[in-house]
Amino acid sequence: MRRPDQQTTTRPAPEATLGTGNGTGPAGPDAAPGTGPAAQPAAPGPDTPPAGARPAGPGEPSGPPAAAGTPAARPGSGGTGSAGAGFTGEPTAEGALAPYLRGQAAEFLRSLRLHHEYSAPADAGGHGAAEAARALRRAARRIGGSLHTFRAALDPHWADQLRGELAWLTGILAREHAYANRLARLVDALHLLSGPTLPAARGARAAGEAAGADAQGRAALGVGAARAAALLERRLTLARTRSHSAALQALGSSRFHAIADAVALLASEVPAPSGHAGRAAAASLLEPAELAEQRLLTAVAALPPDDTGPYNEAQDAAWHQARLLLRLHRYAHEVVLGGADPGLTAPGHALDLHRDAVEAAGAAAAAARTPRIAPATAYALGVLHADQRHGVESARAAFRETWPYATALAAP
C-alpha cells in the first residue's frame, strides 16, 4: 500500500498468485451482473465510477523516489513492503476497518431510503431513483470488497455470508443500468458510423476511388443502420424492462430485507473474530491490504502484451479480472490510508470503458445472429461490432498509458 502522495514503480512479487477460491477472481464481490451470489461487477455489472473519484495523476513524491523495481521499506517493518507505503502506525480493524464499514453501511441505508422515496408512484422511474440505486450499489460494493479483503479481521462466517448476499444484490441492481447504457452506446455509434461525413483520401485519383467506395459503403450502411438500431432497441429495451422488474421484485423480497437488516446492524456493530488467531489477524490490516495489491500487480503483469496481433476475445477474461482486482485494491486503499489513490483513477476508468466496449460488441454480435434479418441490417451490425472491438483495443491502450506501475507492464 502507498500514500496518495507517494510515487511508486514497484514490480509485483514473483511468488504472488491469483486465487479464485477466496473470491479474488470472477467469483469475488465485484463480479459481473448475472453471476449470482457467488459472484463480484461487477459488473462489473457495469457501474459508474465510485463517488468521490476525481481525474488526477499521481502526486509528487514526499521523499526521494524508490529505485525502479525496488519496493520501498515500510517504517518499522524491518524489511520491504509490497508497494512501499510509509505508515506512521499500524491500521487495525477497530481503528480503521470498523469505522469504514459503519460509514458505508450508513451510506447504504441513506441510499435505500432515497430510493424508496424516489420510487414512489409520483416519481417512479425518475433520475433521482437511478442516482439512489447507483449510490446503493457503490456502498454495497465497498462493503463486500472490504469483507473479502479483510476477512481474517472479522467473523469469517458472517463476512462470507453477507458478502455473497451483497454480490447478489449489486448484480440484480446493475443490470437495468447496464442495458440502458449499452443501448445508448450502440445507437450513438451507429449514428456516427452512418453519418454523412466521408473520410479524406490521399491524391486526386485515390480521392475519387476512395470516395466512390466510401459512398457505396456508406449507402449500404445507411440502409441497415436504422433497422439495426431498431433491432437493438427492441432487444435491449426488453432486457432492460425485465431487469427492472427483477430489481423491483428483489427489493421487495424477504432476502433483501434480511440484507438490509444485516447492514443496519453493521452500522452500529462490526462482528469481531473469535479466538487468539482471529484477534491477532485483526491487530493489523497491512498484510491483507498488501496481498490485495500484489494480486493486482500480478494480474496486470500477466495481461497479454499489446503486440499480440488482432483482437482476441479470449483475452477479455484477463482484463476483467484485472478490473475486479483493481477495485478490491482501491477499496483496501480507502480503508488503510483513508482515501482513494488518485493515481488509479484513470486506469480504473479505462478498465470500465474496456468492460463496456466488450459487452457492447457482444450485444452487436448477438443481434447479428437474429434469424431472418435483412443483409443490410446484418452488414450494419457487423460494422458496429468491429467498431466496438476497436473501442476495446483503445481502452487497453489507454490503460497501459495511464498505469502508474510502469515496471509491472514490462515484467515478463
Side-chain angles (χ1 to χ4, degrees), residues 29 139-149 162-163 166 328 331:
R141 287 198 310 267
R142 279 168 168 75
I143 295 172
S146 301
L147 295 180
H148 163 73
T149 300
L162 181 56
R163 179 169 63 91
L166 289 173
L328 289 176
Y331 300 156

Side-chain angles (χ1 to χ4, degrees), residues 93-116:
E94 183 60 31
L97 180 58
Y100 180 84
L101 288 176
R102 286 195 292 265
Q104 294 302 323
E107 178 63 24
F108 180 98
L109 296 175
R110 280 194 298 268
S111 302
L112 179 59
R113 185 182 68 253
L114 290 175
H115 187 272
H116 285 327

Side-chain angles (χ1 to χ4, degrees), residues 144-248:
S146 301
L147 295 180
H148 163 73
T149 300
F150 303 107
R151 177 180 182 272
L154 303 163
D155 181 336
H157 177 73
W158 168 83
D160 290 344
Q161 184 177 15
L162 181 56
R163 179 169 63 91
E165 292 300 282
L166 289 173
W168 166 78
L169 177 63
T170 55
I172 289 289
L173 295 180
R175 291 175 192 162
E176 179 184 359
H177 175 73
Y179 285 126
N181 282 357
R182 200 170 305 157
L183 176 60
R185 178 189 181 99
L186 290 172
V187 171
D188 289 345
L190 277 174
H191 286 316
L192 291 174
L193 292 170
S194 60
T197 304
L198 297 176
R202 298 177 181 177
R205 182 177 179 181
E209 294 176 353
D214 288 335
Q216 292 178 0
R218 187 75 69 184
L221 181 58
V223 171
R227 295 180 180 178
L231 175 61
L232 288 168
E233 186 168 1
R234 286 196 303 271
R235 291 172 60 93
L236 294 177
T237 300
L238 176 60
R240 180 186 179 185
T241 301
R242 290 174 175 172
S243 298
H244 179 72
S245 300
L248 292 179

Side-chain angles (χ1 to χ4, degrees), residues 21-384:
N22 293 329
T24 59
D30 286 314
T35 54
Q40 109 61 62
D47 304 292
T48 57
R54 59 185 186 278
E60 293 298 325
S62 57
T70 305
R74 173 162 48 86
S77 64
T80 59
S82 65
F87 294 103
T88 58
E90 297 288 328
T92 63
E94 183 60 31
L97 180 58
Y100 180 84
L101 288 176
R102 286 195 292 265
Q104 294 302 323
E107 178 63 24
F108 180 98
L109 296 175
R110 280 194 298 268
S111 302
L112 179 59
R113 185 182 68 253
L114 290 175
H115 187 272
H116 285 327
E117 292 176 359
Y118 286 122
S119 298
D123 301 323
H127 180 71
E131 287 295 329
R134 279 192 286 270
L136 189 66
R137 291 200 311 271
R138 283 196 298 268
R141 287 198 310 267
R142 279 168 168 75
I143 295 172
S146 301
L147 295 180
H148 163 73
T149 300
F150 303 107
R151 177 180 182 272
L154 303 163
D155 181 336
H157 177 73
W158 168 83
D160 290 344
Q161 184 177 15
L162 181 56
R163 179 169 63 91
E165 292 300 282
L166 289 173
W168 166 78
L169 177 63
T170 55
I172 289 289
L173 295 180
R175 291 175 192 162
E176 179 184 359
H177 175 73
Y179 285 126
N181 282 357
R182 200 170 305 157
L183 176 60
R185 178 189 181 99
L186 290 172
V187 171
D188 289 345
L190 277 174
H191 286 316
L192 291 174
L193 292 170
S194 60
T197 304
L198 297 176
R202 298 177 181 177
R205 182 177 179 181
E209 294 176 353
D214 288 335
Q216 292 178 0
R218 187 75 69 184
L221 181 58
V223 171
R227 295 180 180 178
L231 175 61
L232 288 168
E233 186 168 1
R234 286 196 303 271
R235 291 172 60 93
L236 294 177
T237 300
L238 176 60
R240 180 186 179 185
T241 301
R242 290 174 175 172
S243 298
H244 179 72
S245 300
L248 292 179
Q249 184 177 4
L251 291 175
S253 66
S254 59
R255 184 176 183 179
F256 172 75
H257 287 298
I259 296 174
D261 290 342
V263 174
L265 291 175
L266 177 62
S268 59
E269 180 183 1
V270 178
S274 59
H276 177 73
R279 289 190 295 271
S284 175
L285 304 179
L286 291 181
E287 183 176 352
E290 290 173 349
L291 178 59
E293 185 177 46
Q294 286 298 326
R295 285 171 172 163
L296 168 63
L297 296 177
T298 304
V300 172
L303 290 174
D306 54 3
D307 57 353
T308 54
Y311 171 74
N312 184 358
E313 294 180 358
Q315 299 173 356
D316 293 340
W319 288 88
H320 293 330
Q321 172 79 343
R323 174 178 172 272
L324 302 184
L325 293 177
L326 177 59
R327 278 192 167 179
L328 289 176
H329 167 61
R330 191 171 73 236
Y331 300 156
H333 195 282
E334 293 176 0
V335 172
V336 174
L337 295 180
D341 183 355
L344 295 180
T345 299
H349 181 61
L351 290 179
D352 287 340
L353 292 178
H354 177 273
R355 185 271 320 276
D356 293 344
V358 167
E359 294 180 346
R369 292 191 292 268
T370 303
R372 296 183 299 278
I373 60 174
T377 306
Y379 173 73
L381 290 170
V383 173
L384 180 62

